Amino acid sequence: MLKSTVQKILRHLAMPCGKFSRLYTKFCHPSTEEYTEFLRRHGNLYAIGSNCSILPSIVFTEPAYVGIGNNVHFSSCTLIGHDGSIAMLNRAYNVKLDSLGKIDIREKVFIGYGAIILPKVTISSNAIVGADAVVTKDVAEGDIVAAVPARPIGCVEDLVKKLQAQTQRLPWADLINSREGGFDPVIEPQLVQLRVRTSTARHQLQLWRDRRLCDNQLLTNNA
């Protein structure tokens, strides 16, 4: 009861006014949709488009320099808008340097877990950044990039065709085709059951094949 009351108070202070943002994210555990709306109101980002998904675990070091287009989805990642070495260099060399840059993320982009986006980078539309990639330069439209530093490893259109073919071969393809959007709470329990059952059956089949292989090798060695 007390926990629920505290969460209601924090939400009431955070969403309309932007107050106690750290306590809000820590104790209210906002969904991606809720947190994205919070950032839209109080995150000080340059721009946030529609149909975006932003986790509370994402780090924006310089949100004022980040622009996000429509239909952009993030896993936990880091967007760095400045060069952290500047303060040290200014003092060490008695100079006055400045190195910040905008991060421009266009439409229909996914950024994977652990990825780091450096300043002065544009990620063009219809692109995917793989997990743990370090993006140091612009990503072209339609590219899939990965590695350190990030480099093109594929094409989004080819990935879509591959995933479409794989999906249609699944035992639960009819359920996928019938659901509205990417998640349907009504049919999700059935999908989970089918996925687990199929995974278990495949595992048992692999164990049986491994045993048969071992038995055949033993017979061959004893012959």
Side-chain angles (χ1 to χ4, degrees):
M1 181 65 180
L2 178 60
K3 180 179 179 181
S4 176
T5 301
V6 171
Q7 288 176 333
K8 287 181 180 179
I9 293 172
L10 287 173
R11 276 195 169 90
H12 178 73
L13 293 171
M15 290 303 288
C17 309
K19 296 181 178 180
F20 304 108
S21 58
R22 290 186 180 180
L23 292 175
Y24 161 67
T25 55
K26 182 177 180 180
F27 292 105
C28 294
H29 309 294
S31 66
T32 54
E33 293 80 7
E34 180 182 331
Y35 187 68
T36 301
E37 182 58 31
F38 174 79
L39 288 181
R40 195 187 311 280
R41 298 183 187 185
H42 310 293
N44 298 319
L45 276 78
Y46 178 78
I48 300 180
S50 60
N51 299 313
C52 293
S53 175
I54 304 176
L55 296 168
S57 55
I58 294 174
V59 176
F60 298 100
T61 66
E62 306 288 341
Y65 295 92
V66 177
I68 300 172
N70 299 325
N71 192 21
V72 175
H73 298 261
F74 298 83
S75 188
S76 296
C77 59
T78 302
L79 286 76
I80 300 175
H82 69 282
D83 184 341
S85 68
I86 292 299
M88 179 276 293
L89 293 173
N90 281 340
R91 180 176 292 274
Y93 290 89
N94 192 28
V95 292
K96 295 181 179 180
L97 306 175
D98 183 76
S99 181
L100 290 93
K102 184 180 178 183
I103 297 175
D104 190 9
I105 303 173
R106 304 289 172 81
E107 298 185 347
K108 297 178 290 184
V109 172
F110 174 74
I111 299 179
Y113 184 86
I116 298 175
I117 315 299
L118 296 184
K120 303 174 185 177
V121 162
T122 295
I123 300 177
S124 300
S125 299
N126 201 35
I128 293 175
V129 176
D132 291 328
V134 177
V135 182
T136 61
K137 60 183 180 180
D138 292 352
V139 176
E141 182 172 354
D143 272 358
I144 301 172
V145 301
V148 181
R151 57 180 178 80
I153 62 168
C155 172
V156 173
E157 286 190 3
D158 292 340
L159 176 64
V160 171
K161 292 176 183 178
K162 178 182 176 180
L163 292 175
Q164 281 181 318
Q166 289 179 354
T167 300
Q168 295 311 307
R169 291 195 297 268
L170 294 172
W172 51 87
D174 290 342
L175 286 174
I176 297 295
N177 292 331
S178 67
R179 74 182 179 186
E180 294 291 334
F183 180 83
D184 186 336
V186 175
I187 66 173
E188 188 62 23
Q190 186 179 357
L191 283 172
V192 171
Q193 187 178 39
L194 288 169
R195 289 165 179 152
V196 171
R197 185 186 303 164
T198 301
S199 178
T200 302
R202 287 174 177 170
H203 179 65
Q204 291 175 342
L205 178 61
Q206 187 60 49
L207 289 176
W208 178 79
R209 288 174 173 171
D210 291 343
R211 286 197 295 267
R212 287 292 302 271
L213 179 62
C214 289
D215 291 344
N216 289 338
Q217 287 177 342
L218 286 173
L219 290 173
T220 301
N221 293 335
N222 293 332

